Amino acid sequence: MAKSIAICSGKGGVGKSNVTVNLAMVYQSMGKRIAILDADFGMANTHILMGVNPEFYISEVISGEKTISEISCKGPNGVSIYSGGSGLLDMLNLDQSKRFQTIRLMDEIEDQIDILLIDVPAGASDNSVSFVSAADSAVVVLVGEPTSFLDAYSFIKACHLEMEMANFTIVVNMANSATEAKRHFDRFNEIAMQFLDVRLRFGGHIPMSQRIRKAVVSRKPITTQKSDLPEVMAFQSVAKQVLDAPTNQTNGIRFFQKGMSGGR
């Protein structure tokens, strides 16, 4: 059965989509068959970071105009992208039935992939919590700033209280050093442990880097470049930690579990 991994964040601007894209590239280089569901409906940008332009979007599958296979867009190295679309105002606030429909649509590609990465909208909206709780594991991207800590905490709290999620992997992005990143994680973990019965794992860090910035601007994921770059090795390390993350067991609707029901 394909594994589903949700990449999420408490706030925008912390590099969540860039982490998603580069994890996809690393897993593809490991011989895995990878797909990305950009669930940031109406504001999707995964395809932009990968330098491709989808012709069709999830909204056209929901409306019955297309099948999920027909909207697949191939990114670098053959990664499949299923985009929520950009500038589609009618997709910004999906109701519960459409969220469930989108999750079930992924059943059609289960046999074609090994890992599905879900780029979840930032924040603790119904859309975000629903997609994260439907995944096997959750990766929370944060940076070493008080607002990022607060919003990540609020997001984890919502997932825990509303969907009884307990396991989260924390990735510190834009860190100046491994030591600084671990210090940020320890501080965040200490805060969370005071108030929530959750288990946070340190998934590693991604360095603050001009090379990464240039890769984003050029729409070419840095993990498609030389494998000995420290940034590429950082993503490789994070990718391995994420694969080893424990699975969340929730009672709601799940990716790749046909016949299950429930959820928000």
Side-chain angles (χ1 to χ4, degrees):
M1 187 173 71
K3 182 179 181 65
S4 55
I5 302 171
I7 315 297
C8 42
S9 64
K11 67 188 292 289
V14 299
K16 167 182 58 66
S17 294
N18 193 48
V19 170
T20 303
V21 164
N22 282 288
L23 289 182
M25 295 293 99
V26 171
Y27 291 137
Q28 194 82 356
S29 72
M30 294 166 57
K32 305 290 187 182
R33 299 170 298 169
I34 307 301
I36 296 175
L37 168 62
D38 193 335
D40 200 352
F41 297 113
M43 300 183 69
N45 62 5
T46 296
H47 62 281
I48 297 173
L49 295 172
M50 301 184 85
V52 296
N53 296 300
E55 187 175 356
F56 306 111
Y57 303 104
I58 290 287
S59 59
E60 290 161 289
V61 185
I62 292 175
S63 67
E65 300 171 56
K66 299 288 180 183
T67 66
I68 192 68
S69 297
E70 288 175 328
I71 72 162
S72 176
C73 174
K74 291 298 180 183
N77 301 340
V79 170
S80 298
I81 306 168
Y82 300 87
S83 178
S86 300
L88 305 177
L89 298 181
D90 59 327
M91 292 292 289
L92 289 176
N93 294 295
L94 294 184
D95 61 28
Q96 177 175 278
S97 65
K98 289 182 179 178
R99 289 195 296 270
F100 287 2
Q101 183 182 353
T102 301
I103 292 168
R104 284 282 65 84
L105 285 171
M106 296 295 108
D107 291 342
E108 298 181 31
I109 66 169
E110 181 178 3
D111 295 337
Q112 304 167 29
I113 64 172
D114 299 307
I115 300 175
L116 174 68
L117 295 173
I118 306 100
D119 188 0
V120 177
S125 67
D126 285 349
N127 277 359
S128 300
V129 173
S130 292
F131 283 115
V132 173
S133 66
D136 294 323
S137 55
V139 177
V140 180
V141 180
L142 56 77
V143 297
E145 300 174 357
T147 54
S148 179
F149 278 30
L150 177 61
D151 292 338
Y153 172 83
S154 297
F155 174 77
I156 290 171
K157 180 179 179 180
C159 291
H160 177 61
L161 295 181
E162 297 178 35
M163 303 304 290
E164 299 184 349
M165 291 179 63
N167 298 298
F168 300 86
T169 297
I170 308 298
V171 173
V172 180
N173 197 19
M174 306 180 201
N176 290 314
S177 68
T179 301
E180 179 188 78
K182 184 59 164 58
R183 187 167 62 247
H184 288 324
F185 168 77
D186 289 341
R187 187 180 306 133
F188 181 74
N189 187 47
E190 182 181 358
I191 294 169
M193 291 302 97
Q194 290 182 34
F195 304 103
L196 301 176
D197 184 20
V198 296
R199 293 177 292 276
L200 307 185
R201 295 174 68 253
F202 182 47
H205 80 286
I206 306 302
M208 178 76 76
S209 166
Q210 285 300 317
R211 275 193 290 256
I212 291 178
R213 290 178 180 271
K214 290 178 180 177
V216 169
V217 171
S218 64
R219 301 175 63 185
K220 295 179 180 179
I222 194 163
T223 42
T224 61
Q225 300 180 27
K226 296 178 181 179
S227 60
D228 61 350
L229 291 175
E231 296 89 346
V232 176
M233 289 189 287
F235 276 114
Q236 292 170 341
S237 177
V238 168
K240 292 175 184 177
Q241 289 291 329
V242 169
L243 279 186
D244 291 338
T247 299
N248 277 303
Q249 301 293 341
T250 57
N251 294 324
I253 188 169
R254 310 268 300 179
F255 285 103
F256 309 132
Q257 291 191 359
K258 305 177 185 70
M260 293 191 71
S261 60
R264 289 167 70 79

